[in-house]
Amino acid sequence: MNYPNGKKSPARTSYTRNKPDFSNRGMTLEDDIAATNEYYRIANIANIHKKPTPIQIVDVHYPKRSAAVIKEAYFKQASTTDFNGVYRGRYVDFEAKETKNKTSFPLSNIHQHQIDHMKDCHQHGGICFLIVKFTVHDETYLFPAENLFSYWEGQLNGGRKSIPYLDIKEIGIVLDFHFQARVDYAKAIDKLYF
Amino acid sequence: MNYPNGKKSPARTSYTRNKPDFSNRGMTLEDDIAATNEYYRIANIANIHKKPTPIQIVDVHYPKRSAAVIKEAYFKQASTTDFNGVYRGRYVDFEAKETKNKTSFPLSNIHQHQIDHMKDCHQHGGICFLIVKFTVHDETYLFPAENLFSYWEGQLNGGRKSIPYLDIKEIGIVLDFHFQARVDYAKAIDKLYF
């Protein structure tokens, strides 16, 4: 990728990402969702994007004849979930998490503000869910926010601090790997919400 | 605002923003929309957020016992519009622009990728529009994306490079200033899309 000023982009770091190339399996869940979103966009299925990480910028330099350089900045906590967009006229909003755990998904992966945001969007008629990948089983599920809320409340009232794997398997919808739609959540939305 | 590690946040710059306080008129359009979105959220009217500016991070330091510091980063061009969210079950997506021009809104304020994004979202059933503020007239309008597309195509085919103020006044919906909903676009959406 080149910058508007013609300079080559800086070396890739773990924070940067090239365009998904639809070829490699075994990438992170986030890579797989990025590839899926790109496919959905190109195939006219949906328009879903990951929101950029919010950054608090403190100091910017403006060198002559080259791009502005941010010299001091900090990560801010997002007030929303990571992904949103539109599918079949509906607002879609979700968070994606991987766990190495075999038997349950620890609720510590989710933050209160993400629950608040999903509750709010759900109340306004949005389709909200969690995508959970159990890396050990190599299985990925769509888990509806309505169900997530119950486990969250349970935890706040002294209940268990995780969602059992078997509950996710039973309540959620397994997302099969396809060549282009690696995490084919749109099909799961069809089943659950249309 | 405090960071998770308890450090005070750095001094405000033009890139940072405190919570809107619903009090001052005469702020920028973006401030007014931020205040409106906050009011919509609190009053359970809608859930609309501004997307963070995408940043390409090159170098991050991790000092002991304090927050990670981004030492080198660059602004990236967004691939979407600035605002999206959910209102009455529908996906909402818009871009906001001010102009000092009195008689027209120059299309140079809009980029091809924003048009592409709005066309795509519109095709999927989303509600897409432009919010335009004519600062000299102190008037703000919601201008539907469907109409924007026509002017955009016209320009590409050798037509005029701006939308006349009088067309925006006639086709668009004026957004009155209210104490809390400073740019009350939800009411305009009601009129146009429900």
Side-chain angles (χ1 to χ4, degrees):
Chain A
M1 177 196 165
N2 289 313
Y3 279 88
N5 64 356
K7 276 178 73 177
K8 280 275 174 198
S9 64
R12 284 181 76 196
T13 72
S14 57
Y15 298 97
T16 69
R17 168 162 302 123
N18 284 340
K19 274 212 173 163
D21 65 359
F22 306 131
S23 61
N24 296 313
R25 185 150 190 188
M27 324 251 327
T28 65
L29 176 59
E30 202 172 301
D31 288 327
D32 283 342
I33 292 175
T36 305
N37 290 347
E38 180 86 353
Y39 167 67
Y40 284 171
R41 208 182 51 70
I42 292 166
N44 271 331
I45 292 169
N47 187 305
I48 312 277
H49 287 270
K50 181 176 191 299
K51 293 189 186 174
T53 308
I55 303 281
Q56 174 105 2
I57 295 168
V58 178
D59 188 23
V60 186
H61 288 204
Y62 298 92
K64 277 185 188 166
R65 283 183 287 280
S66 61
V69 190
I70 298 160
K71 285 294 193 183
E72 186 187 353
Y74 299 86
F75 296 100
K76 283 200 296 187
Q77 187 165 66
S79 55
T80 63
T81 48
D82 269 357
F83 299 91
N84 77 354
V86 59
Y87 176 58
R88 296 178 65 179
R90 297 282 299 276
Y91 175 79
V92 171
D93 194 296
F94 62 96
E95 188 65 32
K97 295 287 176 194
E98 304 187 62
T99 181
K100 289 177 183 165
N101 217 302
K102 281 184 209 174
T103 55
S104 70
F105 173 75
L107 287 166
S108 55
N109 283 295
I110 307 288
H111 299 287
Q112 182 67 52
H113 72 268
Q114 294 167 328
I115 297 285
D116 294 342
H117 174 75
M118 282 195 274
K119 276 194 178 166
D120 203 45
C121 293
H122 176 68
Q123 184 209 308
H124 289 295
I127 294 173
C128 306
F129 51 86
L130 198 65
I131 292 183
V132 184
K133 180 173 184 178
F134 287 92
T135 50
V136 174
H137 304 302
D138 194 20
E139 287 173 4
T140 306
Y141 294 90
L142 183 154
F143 194 73
E146 303 88 295
N147 299 95
L148 171 63
F149 301 154
S150 319
Y151 287 91
W152 190 264
E153 300 305 328
Q155 173 200 224
L156 297 181
N157 296 312
R160 55 178 296 161
K161 295 189 189 330
S162 65
I163 310 175
Y165 165 69
L166 290 176
D167 289 12
I168 291 178
K169 209 177 165 78
E170 193 187 315
I171 299 167
I173 303 223
V174 69
L175 304 176
D176 292 323
F177 180 92
H178 296 114
F179 178 61
Q180 290 176 304
R182 295 191 206 164
V183 184
D184 199 1
Y185 60 85
K187 259 194 203 138
I189 293 179
D190 289 343
K191 273 189 210 166
L192 275 174
Y193 299 96
F194 285 96
Chain B
M1 178 195 165
N2 290 312
Y3 279 88
N5 64 354
K7 274 179 73 177
K8 280 276 174 199
S9 66
R12 284 181 75 194
T13 73
S14 58
Y15 298 97
T16 69
R17 170 161 303 121
N18 284 340
K19 273 211 173 164
D21 64 0
F22 305 132
S23 61
N24 297 312
R25 183 148 188 186
M27 322 249 330
T28 66
L29 176 59
E30 201 171 303
D31 286 327
D32 284 342
I33 292 175
T36 304
N37 289 347
E38 179 85 354
Y39 167 67
Y40 283 171
R41 209 182 50 71
I42 292 167
N44 271 332
I45 292 168
N47 188 304
I48 313 278
H49 287 269
K50 181 177 191 299
K51 294 191 186 172
T53 307
I55 304 280
Q56 175 105 1
I57 296 170
V58 177
D59 187 22
V60 186
H61 289 204
Y62 298 91
K64 276 185 190 166
R65 282 180 289 279
S66 59
V69 190
I70 297 159
K71 286 293 193 184
E72 186 187 352
Y74 299 87
F75 296 101
K76 283 200 295 186
Q77 188 167 66
S79 55
T80 64
T81 49
D82 269 357
F83 298 91
N84 77 356
V86 58
Y87 175 59
R88 296 179 63 180
R90 295 284 297 277
Y91 175 79
V92 171
D93 194 295
F94 63 96
E95 188 64 33
K97 293 290 177 194
E98 304 187 63
T99 180
K100 288 177 184 165
N101 217 302
K102 281 185 210 176
T103 57
S104 70
F105 173 75
L107 287 167
S108 56
N109 282 294
I110 306 288
H111 299 287
Q112 183 67 51
H113 73 269
Q114 293 168 328
I115 297 284
D116 294 342
H117 174 75
M118 283 195 275
K119 275 195 179 166
D120 202 45
C121 292
H122 174 68
Q123 183 208 309
H124 289 296
I127 293 173
C128 305
F129 52 87
L130 198 65
I131 292 182
V132 184
K133 180 173 183 177
F134 288 92
T135 50
V136 174
H137 304 302
D138 194 19
E139 287 172 4
T140 306
Y141 293 90
L142 183 155
F143 193 73
E146 302 88 295
N147 299 96
L148 171 63
F149 300 154
S150 320
Y151 287 91
W152 190 263
E153 299 305 327
Q155 173 200 225
L156 296 182
N157 296 313
R160 55 177 300 161
K161 295 187 188 332
S162 64
I163 310 175
Y165 165 69
L166 290 176
D167 289 11
I168 291 180
K169 208 176 166 79
E170 194 188 312
I171 299 166
I173 302 224
V174 68
L175 303 177
D176 292 323
F177 180 91
H178 296 114
F179 179 62
Q180 290 176 304
R182 295 190 207 165
V183 183
D184 199 1
Y185 61 85
K187 259 193 203 138
I189 293 179
D190 290 342
K191 274 190 211 167
L192 276 174
Y193 300 95
F194 284 97

